[in-house]
Amino acid sequence: MERIVILTGAGISRESGLDTFRDEGGIWSQVRLEDVCTPEGFMRNPEMVDDFYNRRRLELKNVTPNAAHSALAELEKAYGENRDDAFLLVTQNIDDLHERAGSGNVVHMHGELLHLRCLACGATPKWEGPCTRETPCPECGEKTLRPNVVWFGEMPLHMERIMQAIGLCDIFVAIGTSATVYPAAGFAEQAADHAHTVELNLVPTGNAELFDEVSYGPATQVVPRFVRDRLAAQA
Ligand code: APR
């Protein structure tokens, strides 16, 4: 099987009912990024940050994966035991919809909404409910919990593993991302000199010229079609 790296962004979860960030009415038009997605914002007003992520955690309970998430889980299954990241799903999303759709090898480079991080002991407990300044860490008891999410100005997670997989891949697919936030926005360029690159998005992004293959439309249509074509080609 050809080695494949898939990068997803907020667009793949849009049809499940979760807002994207930069579309009309998106999250960054509802709340200031500087207030809820930076370490400075957390220092300034932790209660506002707690509230922002508590609302998104609650919202996640009411949505389900869509056909695009399911199609990627189906594609991964075709890779069998999927040795050494031959199939790697890298997501910028902090929701758990890929996992709930059945994807196994998922790397959350911007962290996860359903985990917190303790600033005192470093524990990253799974967390489904609200977190406030009064919530004690389940490991050390300190009231020093924050979302286990990568904020602007912080280092994305699992970058060494991601870069290694991109360096070795035969196919790189970007799905539902505006390609405006680095380092993820640079992955297509890093793959372009050795891999077949594919953009699946509602509309062409600023990176569109970089891709060998493009397909535009709602993810629940273009992703299942892409997976069907790949599986047919492997058969
Ligand atoms: N199907 C496919 N693509 C869609 C759909 C859909 N139904 N709806 C929107 N899109 C596309 C938009 O055209 C856009 O290109 O999804 C993309 C969403 O872009 P952004 O809102 O910028 O989201 P994303 O690229 O994931 O943002 C990257 O920025 O704010 C940070 O940490 C945050 O992980 C996020 C990062």
Side-chain angles (χ1 to χ4, degrees), residues 8-16 18-23 26-28 33 37 56 66 68 91-94 109-110 149-152 175-182 184 199-206 216-223:
T8 61
I12 198 169
S13 298
R14 181 72 199 82
E15 289 160 271
S16 290
L18 295 180
D19 285 339
T20 60
F21 292 94
R22 295 173 182 83
D23 287 318
I27 294 173
W28 295 146
L33 174 164
C37 204
R56 292 177 71 196
N66 63 52
T91 187
Q92 300 170 91
N93 300 340
I94 60 174
M109 64 181 289
H110 290 168
V149 170
V150 177
W151 287 330
F152 285 92
I175 303 174
T177 180
S178 62
T180 48
V181 175
Y182 285 82
E199 178 169 80
L200 307 178
N201 203 66
L202 188 63
V203 293
T205 67
Y216 297 119
T220 54
Q221 291 170 26
V222 297
V223 178

Side-chain angles (χ1 to χ4, degrees), residues 2-232:
E2 293 173 316
R3 298 179 66 90
I4 185 168
V5 173
I6 296 173
L7 170 71
T8 61
I12 198 169
S13 298
R14 181 72 199 82
E15 289 160 271
S16 290
L18 295 180
D19 285 339
T20 60
F21 292 94
R22 295 173 182 83
D23 287 318
E24 181 81 20
I27 294 173
W28 295 146
S29 69
Q30 301 164 24
V31 62
R32 277 172 27 95
L33 174 164
E34 296 75 8
D35 290 340
V36 296
C37 204
T38 63
E40 297 76 15
F42 183 65
M43 294 295 285
R44 208 171 33 245
N45 186 340
E47 290 78 9
M48 180 190 280
V49 175
D50 286 340
D51 178 56
F52 174 66
Y53 287 98
N54 289 344
R55 276 187 286 111
R56 292 177 71 196
R57 216 171 281 117
L58 193 59
E59 186 186 32
L60 195 46
K61 291 183 190 296
N62 302 320
V63 300
T64 53
N66 63 52
H69 297 107
S70 303
L72 295 185
E74 188 195 345
L75 182 61
E76 181 183 17
K77 287 185 179 47
Y79 277 73
E81 78 286 3
N82 187 19
R83 288 166 53 80
D84 69 358
D85 286 349
F87 177 101
L88 185 65
L89 174 51
V90 181
T91 187
Q92 300 170 91
N93 300 340
I94 60 174
D95 65 54
D96 65 340
L97 295 178
H98 282 304
E99 290 85 349
R100 282 163 56 190
S103 288
N105 205 20
V106 184
V107 169
H108 285 269
M109 64 181 289
H110 290 168
E112 295 178 78
L113 188 53
L114 298 182
H115 281 78
L116 299 178
R117 187 189 319 160
C118 177
L119 297 171
C121 72
T124 53
K126 174 103 175 163
W127 206 266
E128 311 242 347
C131 169
T132 72
R133 293 304 88 217
E134 293 310 308
T135 307
C137 168
E139 294 296 317
C140 73
E142 293 297 320
K143 295 174 181 175
T144 51
L145 290 163
R146 60 161 274 185
N148 193 30
V149 170
V150 177
W151 287 330
F152 285 92
E154 296 182 328
M155 273 301 290
L157 307 171
H158 314 294
M159 283 304 293
E160 202 176 312
R161 178 178 175 193
I162 294 168
M163 296 318 294
Q164 183 174 23
I166 289 176
L168 293 171
C169 76
D170 305 297
I171 310 167
F172 173 81
V173 190
I175 303 174
T177 180
S178 62
T180 48
V181 175
Y182 285 82
F187 290 171
E189 196 164 2
Q190 275 136 3
D193 65 354
H194 61 273
H196 177 70
T197 54
V198 184
E199 178 169 80
L200 307 178
N201 203 66
L202 188 63
V203 293
T205 67
N207 263 0
E209 295 309 309
L210 269 177
F211 291 90
D212 301 310
E213 177 186 343
V214 297
S215 181
Y216 297 119
T220 54
Q221 291 170 26
V222 297
V223 178
R225 188 166 62 224
F226 169 78
V227 168
R228 246 193 327 274
D229 294 349
R230 291 304 322 166
L231 291 177

